[in-house]
Amino acid sequence: MIGRLPRIGNLLRQRRKAAEDGSIVVDAARKATGGKAKTRIVMTMAVFFTIYSTIAGRLVYLGLQNPDTSGGPQSRVTASRPDIVDRNGEVLATDIKTASLFAEPRRIVDADEAIEKLSTVLPEIDYEQTYHKLKSGAGFVWLQRQLTPKQQADIMALGIPGLGFRTEKRRFYPSGETSSYVVGLTNIDNQGISGMEKYIDDQGLTDLQASGLAVARDLKPVKLSIDLRVQHVVRDEVAAGVERFHAIAAGAVVLNIKTGEVLAMASVPDFDPNNPYNAQDKDRLNRMSAGLYEMGSTFKSFTTGMALDSGKVTLESRFDASRPIRIGRQTIHDFHSKGRVLSVPEVFIYSSNIGSAKEAEAVGIEGHREFLHRLGVLEKMQTELPEVARPTEPKIWKQVNSITIAFGHGVSTTPLQTAVGCAALMSGYLIEPTFLPRTAEQAMEVAKRVVKDKTVEGMRYLYALNAEKGSGKNARVPGYRVGGKTGTAEKVVNGRYSKEKNFNAFVAAFPMDDPQYIVLTIADEPKPEKPGMGATAASNAGIMAANIIRRAASMLGVKPDFSHENGATLVSYQ
């Protein structure tokens, strides 16, 4: 028994060792399993940490963004427009930044309260329309475009949740109504809708904006032929003329005879393009290029020019104006009849309807029509300004048509086209008008010869003579050798010519020794300035033309010359 004890001890030691070894294995297994679990836990934590860090970072980023660039789609008004400047670089139109108010209806707590607060700053806001917008549940709605800085500040001070501002571009016109019809307008989305603004869009700006290439720094200013100084004078005199002569409207244009450039053009009533609330009113019309009128006796310039150019009439020709002309039911008579035979210069300075009718008869119906089309008076004018009316004429010219058209009745054209036609008589060349800068050399590349040099000499002589001895006396300006022709036309009212309502015009050229400029003025339904005074073109449109020349001639570079005064301004005619 005792002998077996060592073996039993050995056996016990072996079992103990095996147990110890087993525990070691178990411990090792346990350790291995625990390490893998810890690794998975760490990896899982790392993934969640990354996700939450990304979310937190995004929230911080969004929280730091300016509120006027968050919430809602990008503004449609992101494209820039080029500045418009006059011929001297003075700004006529430019882009400025403005704030527009939007709402996020889903964040609006109380629509009624929001509108009530907004109305204290925007009293014109439409309650019902705005209420529907705020209750629409949409993510973004416009409430008011193009606010003033004060309006923006006042709305911000209201502290209404769910409202925000977006910076947009809008057009600003430093000269206001001074050049409104020429420069034109843009709409709420900064797109050109009239005047030279629309012309610029039509020349490719719209395509640039659509493609996102209309970047402000890449857009060069668009320079016009307009001289803002002269434009101011013209608009000022036209506005004063409406008031002084109690007219329903008036207008004027200054045209460079050598280049066809329009230096200034105005029509009143007009509008302020910075606040064009009345721009669509029916009396807001650019009467100089978009208005059609029977131009009255200014057309006698074309009739006499036609007669001289035909070679069938000379300045020495004479016409019997002793008796009225009767044709059909119409009787043609002179306003101030001389009751005798008149020479061509007398027909012109006395503005004889009878004499003018007989000049047209000498040329013939077809020749008469062809000449007016040759001078562009009855063609649609080709120029940059979109607002251009198409002249009207009889479909078939009869003898009576030719007779009445000879003294400015029976066809309608625009005042600007009349000025262009008269410029052709002063130079011999028809040059379509332009509102962009053009040199004399460039003008001659597109000019059309329309009358002979002899005709030009004769018409210059007659214009100067009429200012000295005829109806153009009121348009004379000392030192500037002005010539011209009046036109007093009875307006058609309810299909008949009215004895009480006239459309008056005066076309002036200066300096008459070598005419550089045409000034054409109009007065629509003028009244006598004072009781007992007349209301013909000489007493209103002629005075307006003289005032414009007196104030603007030096700006146009025409130096006064007093050596031709006291009757010596007459241009000799050989």
Side-chain angles (χ1 to χ4, degrees):
M1 184 69 176
I2 297 174
R4 293 172 63 184
L5 285 173
R7 284 182 297 181
I8 294 172
N10 289 335
L11 182 60
L12 290 173
R13 283 194 294 272
Q14 290 175 356
R15 289 180 177 179
R16 192 183 298 117
K17 185 178 180 182
E20 289 176 355
D21 292 342
S23 65
I24 290 173
V25 171
V26 172
D27 289 343
R30 287 176 179 174
K31 288 181 179 179
T33 303
K36 291 181 180 179
K38 287 181 179 179
T39 301
R40 284 196 293 268
I41 291 172
V42 170
M43 290 178 64
T44 302
M45 291 176 64
V47 170
F48 278 103
F49 179 77
T50 302
I51 293 172
Y52 284 116
S53 296
T54 302
I55 294 173
R58 185 62 178 170
L59 290 173
V60 170
Y61 171 78
L62 294 175
L64 293 175
Q65 295 305 297
N66 194 319
D68 67 348
T69 59
S70 64
Q74 282 202 346
S75 168
R76 290 174 294 156
V77 191
T78 55
S80 298
R81 299 184 63 80
D83 286 354
I84 299 178
V85 299
D86 83 333
R87 65 188 303 110
N88 301 311
E90 295 293 329
V91 177
L92 301 175
T94 189
D95 278 348
I96 61 172
K97 291 182 179 180
T98 184
S100 290
L101 176 66
F102 70 85
E104 297 173 274
R106 296 170 187 169
R107 295 177 54 200
I108 298 295
V109 179
D110 187 330
D112 292 295
E113 181 183 5
I115 298 172
E116 185 177 347
K117 289 183 177 180
L118 276 177
S119 64
T120 62
V121 180
L122 305 173
E124 73 281 5
I125 196 168
D126 187 302
Y127 183 94
E128 184 176 352
Q129 185 182 66
T130 306
Y131 181 83
H132 287 306
K133 285 182 177 182
L134 296 183
K135 298 294 287 184
S136 66
F140 179 97
V141 293
W142 285 118
L143 294 185
Q144 186 83 0
R145 305 283 289 276
Q146 300 183 353
L147 302 173
T148 65
K150 184 178 186 306
Q151 287 174 326
Q152 182 185 14
D154 290 346
I155 293 172
M156 289 178 67
L158 296 176
I160 304 173
L163 299 187
F165 300 93
R166 186 177 302 287
T167 299
E168 297 191 288
K169 294 186 182 74
R170 66 164 292 183
R171 213 59 166 156
F172 175 63
Y173 302 91
S175 60
E177 59 270 285
T178 300
S179 55
S180 56
Y181 284 119
V182 174
V183 177
L185 269 179
T186 58
N187 62 16
I188 194 73
D189 291 322
N190 217 23
Q191 298 167 334
I193 57 175
S194 69
M196 294 304 288
E197 292 278 32
K198 187 175 189 304
Y199 168 78
I200 293 170
D201 280 31
D202 293 342
Q203 296 306 299
L205 179 62
T206 299
D207 295 333
L208 283 177
Q209 291 175 333
S211 62
L213 298 177
V215 181
R217 65 176 178 272
D218 298 331
L219 298 175
K220 295 182 180 179
V222 176
K223 180 178 287 189
L224 304 187
S225 60
I226 297 295
D227 187 320
L228 185 56
R229 303 169 302 170
V230 181
Q231 180 70 29
H232 171 75
V233 169
V234 169
R235 200 271 172 183
D236 186 55
E237 288 297 335
V238 167
V242 169
E243 184 174 351
R244 177 178 177 181
F245 304 117
H246 317 290
I248 64 171
V253 62
V254 178
L255 183 73
N256 186 318
I257 294 174
K258 307 294 185 181
T259 66
E261 293 172 296
V262 176
L263 279 302
M265 188 172 75
S267 177
V268 172
D270 50 20
F271 60 91
D272 182 356
N274 295 308
N275 184 27
Y277 68 94
N278 58 350
Q280 297 300 318
D281 290 356
K282 64 179 182 179
D283 64 336
R284 262 60 180 185
L285 169 72
N286 182 2
R287 287 168 166 79
M288 301 307 293
S289 66
L292 289 176
Y293 304 98
E294 294 186 346
M295 294 299 296
S297 293
T298 56
F299 252 54
K300 291 171 183 172
S301 298
F302 305 133
T303 305
T304 300
M306 170 189 67
L308 295 175
D309 201 63
S310 70
K312 298 178 181 179
V313 174
T314 68
L315 287 182
E316 289 73 35
S317 299
R318 303 171 72 81
F319 295 95
D320 186 0
S322 59
R323 292 184 300 276
I325 298 175
R326 290 184 174 83
I327 179 167
R329 296 181 179 180
Q330 297 192 46
T331 301
I332 311 302
H333 56 82
D334 287 341
F335 186 69
H336 294 296
S337 177
K338 299 299 177 182
R340 60 179 176 82
V341 174
L342 301 176
S343 66
V344 168
E346 288 176 324
V347 168
F348 196 78
I349 65 174
Y350 298 145
S351 200
S352 170
N353 293 340
I354 299 171
S356 297
K358 293 191 174 183
E359 287 177 341
E361 284 182 318
V363 174
I365 297 174
E366 289 304 316
H368 190 182
R369 185 175 185 273
E370 185 276 331
F371 186 82
L372 293 181
H373 278 277
R374 191 197 314 169
L375 263 66
V377 178
L378 297 182
E379 301 284 350
K380 185 174 182 181
M381 185 167 51
Q382 301 301 313
T383 189
E384 300 84 12
L385 206 66
E387 295 78 24
V388 173
R390 182 182 293 277
T392 63
E393 62 175 309
K395 291 183 178 180
I396 299 175
W397 282 41
K398 299 179 180 179
Q399 185 67 28
V400 65
N401 301 122
S402 182
I403 287 175
T404 58
I405 291 169
F407 52 85
H409 286 282
V411 294
S412 297
T413 190
T414 69
L416 178 56
Q417 283 177 271
T418 304
V420 172
C422 291
L425 295 178
M426 294 295 103
S427 69
Y429 294 91
L430 174 63
I431 304 174
E432 292 284 5
T434 181
F435 291 85
L436 301 175
R438 180 198 282 163
T439 65
E441 292 74 20
Q442 291 170 332
M444 290 309 297
E445 293 176 1
V446 298
K448 297 178 183 178
R449 184 82 191 194
V450 287
V451 295
K452 304 169 187 174
D453 287 338
K454 192 75 171 177
T455 305
V456 171
E457 293 175 12
M459 292 308 301
R460 289 181 180 182
Y461 168 76
L462 292 175
Y463 265 38
L465 181 66
N466 192 48
E468 289 295 331
K469 299 183 177 181
S471 59
K473 292 179 181 179
N474 286 346
R476 290 182 298 180
V477 180
Y480 290 108
R481 296 94 70 198
V482 179
K485 183 72 184 77
T486 53
T488 304
E490 295 177 351
K491 291 185 69 174
V492 176
V493 179
N494 297 324
R496 306 188 68 176
Y497 286 104
S498 170
K499 298 294 183 182
E500 289 77 34
K501 297 181 179 181
N502 293 335
F503 180 85
N504 294 350
F506 189 91
V507 57
F510 73 101
M512 285 313 304
D513 47 346
D514 182 19
Q516 302 293 314
Y517 298 98
I518 288 285
V519 176
L520 187 143
T521 56
I522 62 171
D524 195 354
E525 297 186 23
K527 311 296 186 301
E529 184 178 359
K530 296 178 182 178
M533 296 181 65
T536 60
S539 59
N540 40 68
I543 293 174
M544 289 164 56
N547 290 342
I548 290 172
I549 295 170
R550 184 178 295 109
R551 296 176 59 184
S554 60
M555 300 175 189
L556 295 169
V558 180
K559 297 180 179 179
D561 182 358
F562 297 97
S563 63
H564 295 283
E565 297 302 313
N566 298 322
T569 62
L570 296 184
V571 178
S572 61
Y573 181 81
Q574 302 298 328

